[in-house]
Amino acid sequence: MKTFCGRANPTTGAMEWLEEDENYDYHQEIARSRYADMLHDKDRNVKYYQGICAAVSRVKERGEKAIVLDIGTGTGLLSMMAASAGADFCYAVEVFKPMANAAVKIVEKNGFREKIKVINKHSTEVTVGQDGDMQCRANILVTELFDTELIGEGALPTYEHAHKYLVQEGCEAVPHRATVYVQLVESKRMWSWNKLFPVHVETEDGEKTIVSPSAMENCPGVPSVCDIQLNQMPSSDFTILSDVATMFSVDFSNPVRSASTSYRVQLEPVKSGKAQIVLSWWDIDMDPWGTINCTMAPYWVKSTSASQWRDHWMQCVYFLPNEEPVVQGEEVSLIACRDEYSVWYKLQKAREEENKAAVCIESPVCRCQAHLLWNRPRFGQLNDQNRTRQYIKSLMKVLTKDSVCLCISDGSLLPLLAHCLGAKQVHTLFQFFKANHLEDKIKIIEACPELLTSSHLEDKKISVLVGEPFFTTSLLPWHNLYFWYARTAVASHLTSSVTVLPQSASLHMMIVEFQDLWRIRSPCGTCEGFDVRTMDDMIKNSLNFRESKEAEPHPLWEYPCKSLSDPQEVLTFDFRDTVPEHSLSTEGSVKLLQKGKSHGAVLWMEYHLAAGISVTTGLMQIANEKGNCEWNPHCKQAVYFFSSVLESETRSDLPSAVTYAINFNTKTGEIAMDFKL
Ligand code: SAH
């Protein structure tokens, strides 16, 4: 059997369907999954174990047999905990076949074959009775089906079904309860991920301002959750407007309702300001008394939270539909609405409260298109004034009154900037926005670069070709080199003295030690005394499924690391020329200048816009002598994890070096790399 997988082709910018081995999908899923991260989450594991032991004891004290249902068993970890705690029998349900197979092996290896039955089904398909999957209903319900938003992975419908059909009334649930907390804040930084701020352009005819259309101003945005490592957000980047409030909680030991509903809390602002953002996180109580608590509270709420790193559960940022001024001491209501899988928020002032009953507002739907076109980091990037200034400065250098300009970038403001700065004619590809009243100045060409004809350009040649470059299909930093391919495709439409902006790009690399991110790719060995090496092997096998190991994208502002080497330029790409036929490759070595564990290499692109003006999509600066790095907050960087982290952990004496071989395949647009420690 074959599977068709969608992948963007960095040489054409188009989505292509590739025929892959039937196992491809699940290898990808396993290789990039969060299982390892969960197994490394000591705090979570310890608390589950304590909660499970306590629940088994309570059932035993009642003189009952302890029959456990573990929904979403993964490696079988929670069932093994239950069996060790003295449970009489465990039904371990897992829908994902490769994981269910792994669970069978792990359970057996750890000697629990008699006590744990792995059922490879979705829990809603599980049957109970003499010939059923389960002999009888369970009296202990153990699950770990939560995402950062708590309910996004379908915990509510799963619980609803389990209470109806799979567990006894009055069963013990671990966790016993989940509670969602909220805090109202003002934050220009986070608000810039959701709204387009005015762009001011100094021109020869005075200052011009690009403002977003009103449809965008009033658009509620998209309902997809914005989950981030809030512990990496400095307190100077937001202003707290309210105390932390409990928004809602779910008792898992009683029947759960998944139907849409809403909740309301009264907040008394502790400060006047603009309410823009609701920050939210949850905690779970493993026992009914809340003595075993596992919380996602950020650092300013719980000082020890920064040391409890996890990536599978973070914190949520919710954008209010509009910013609302609030006054210190004047109560407002915050309304949370949820359906089965997601949550959204609305603020109500006291005077608006007449219609208290009718609050079940609809899930946000983007009406302005911008939120469909631009994701949150892209909004942040477009609102980055420093970055815009670099583009304006370089456009001013290259544009003249006679410039015929072509812009190639997705949903870019460059055509507007070029127009403001006096280009005679601006054409643009991939522009989904009409700039009002500028139709005769900025022409949107609905063709891909390969199909561009001179009639699209009104028989004029392009004197200035610009790009950020940015394309929504790019996953890794070098995928934006699609600009180079597009530039090559339109070569015949360019004047002989064409200016290309950026004139070139370069790939940079640095060896780093991660504070925490290394965990997601590091083997677990044993977890709370249970041997989970089968899982480690499975992940390793899936990582090796692809011939070459691949770099993976991560937004490193969320994942602190320190540099162990100097940043190094490894490849350059000259946009003034067309893409060469042959591939570009380089070899060399990087000196390790700092002591530390070489977890991997980080790679990013820099664009050289015009003489002396560059923008980076990666390293902004190395902040101190310890080597702490500051990364571009709007871009994902490429991370290549070294396979032998352990080896480099024991390396303590300087100096040493890492050798590398990097190859940019111009046929595929992909970069392959190899490192030796
Ligand atoms: N219990 C493990 C793994 C948790 S990850 C641990 O704590 O380490 C959640 C797992 O639940 C995933 O493997 C997912 O495939 C599975 N899952 C989610 N919903 C499910 C459902 N309704 N029925 C069966 N499996 C489910």
Side-chain angles (χ1 to χ4, degrees), residues 406 427 445 452-460 462 493:
L406 174 66
H427 300 275
I445 301 173
L452 190 71
T453 62
S454 35
S455 67
H456 283 125
L457 303 169
E458 291 154 7
D459 294 325
K460 295 217 178 65
I462 301 299
H493 302 288

Side-chain angles (χ1 to χ4, degrees), residues 29 34-35 38-39 44-45 48 70-79 81 92-97 99-100 119-126 142-146 153-155 157-159 161 312-313 527:
E29 187 148 341
R34 297 180 162 178
Y35 289 109
M38 290 185 306
L39 295 173
R44 176 198 89 117
N45 300 338
Y48 260 98
D70 170 12
I71 302 181
T73 199
T75 53
L77 179 69
L78 305 183
S79 286
M81 288 178 175
V93 183
E94 174 54 55
V95 66
F96 186 39
K97 179 128 207 246
M99 276 316 297
I119 303 167
N120 177 207
K121 279 188 176 179
H122 192 268
S123 61
T124 52
E125 305 292 320
V126 169
V142 178
T143 76
E144 202 274 59
L145 301 169
F146 314 115
E153 278 172 15
T158 293
Y159 272 108
H161 174 271
H312 61 120
W313 294 332
C527 181

Side-chain angles (χ1 to χ4, degrees), residues 84-350:
S84 298
D88 294 277
F89 201 78
C90 302
Y91 295 102
V93 183
E94 174 54 55
V95 66
F96 186 39
K97 179 128 207 246
M99 276 316 297
N101 292 344
V104 170
K105 283 191 204 145
I106 294 170
V107 161
E108 198 160 320
K109 205 166 174 186
N110 286 276
F112 293 107
R113 198 204 324 200
E114 307 298 314
K115 292 271 177 192
I116 299 172
K117 177 181 177 186
V118 177
I119 303 167
N120 177 207
K121 279 188 176 179
H122 192 268
S123 61
T124 52
E125 305 292 320
V126 169
T127 55
V128 183
Q130 273 291 298
D131 306 314
D133 299 311
M134 298 169 68
Q135 288 287 298
C136 61
R137 287 184 175 226
N139 54 7
I140 298 177
L141 175 57
V142 178
T143 76
E144 202 274 59
L145 301 169
F146 314 115
D147 66 346
T148 295
E149 203 177 20
L150 188 71
I151 64 171
E153 278 172 15
L156 293 178
T158 293
Y159 272 108
E160 183 169 39
H161 174 271
H163 277 287
K164 277 188 188 148
Y165 303 105
L166 306 177
V167 299
Q168 297 169 20
E169 209 184 307
C171 81
E172 300 285 348
V174 183
H176 179 83
R177 172 192 319 108
T179 307
V180 172
Y181 300 91
V182 290
Q183 192 164 29
L184 200 59
V185 304
E186 171 177 340
S187 167
K188 191 174 175 202
R189 174 165 177 198
M190 289 184 260
W191 196 237
S192 83
W193 301 343
N194 187 50
K195 299 279 174 186
L196 187 66
F197 297 162
V199 181
H200 303 288
V201 191
E202 289 287 346
T203 71
E204 281 165 12
D205 326 328
E207 190 181 285
K208 293 183 185 167
T209 307
I210 300 171
V211 290
S212 59
S214 58
M216 204 188 286
E217 212 100 292
N218 296 313
C219 181
V222 281
S224 63
V225 67
C226 176
D227 52 346
I228 61 164
Q229 292 282 0
L230 208 44
N231 284 328
Q232 298 310 319
M233 180 71 61
S235 56
S236 53
D237 280 352
F238 59 97
T239 307
I240 288 173
L241 299 180
S242 84
D243 290 331
V244 177
T246 299
M247 197 69 231
F248 64 93
S249 50
V250 188
D251 174 356
F252 296 124
S253 69
N254 275 305
V256 168
R257 277 172 47 90
S258 66
S260 298
T261 187
S262 67
Y263 312 88
R264 172 193 293 267
V265 289
Q266 294 300 116
L267 298 177
E268 192 182 301
V270 293
K271 203 168 177 185
S272 298
K274 284 181 278 187
Q276 296 168 326
I277 306 281
V278 176
L279 298 179
S280 174
W281 58 90
W282 49 261
D283 68 9
I284 41 182
D285 287 321
M286 297 298 183
D287 63 333
W289 306 279
T291 51
I292 311 164
N293 178 275
C294 183
T295 180
M296 307 309 126
Y299 65 90
W300 65 92
V301 180
K302 188 168 179 269
S303 56
T304 53
S305 66
S307 57
Q308 269 158 21
W309 187 86
R310 43 171 75 92
D311 204 39
H312 61 120
W313 294 332
M314 299 182 267
Q315 293 80 25
C316 296
V317 177
Y318 293 98
F319 305 92
L320 290 170
N322 290 298
E323 60 180 16
E324 299 259 7
V326 293
V327 179
Q328 183 179 351
E330 276 183 24
E331 269 198 357
V332 291
S333 318
L334 182 66
I335 297 157
C337 300
R338 67 150 185 83
D339 55 21
E340 281 181 300
Y341 296 96
S342 67
V343 187
W344 59 97
Y345 286 88
K346 190 189 158 164
L347 200 67
Q348 241 178 25
K349 297 283 186 64

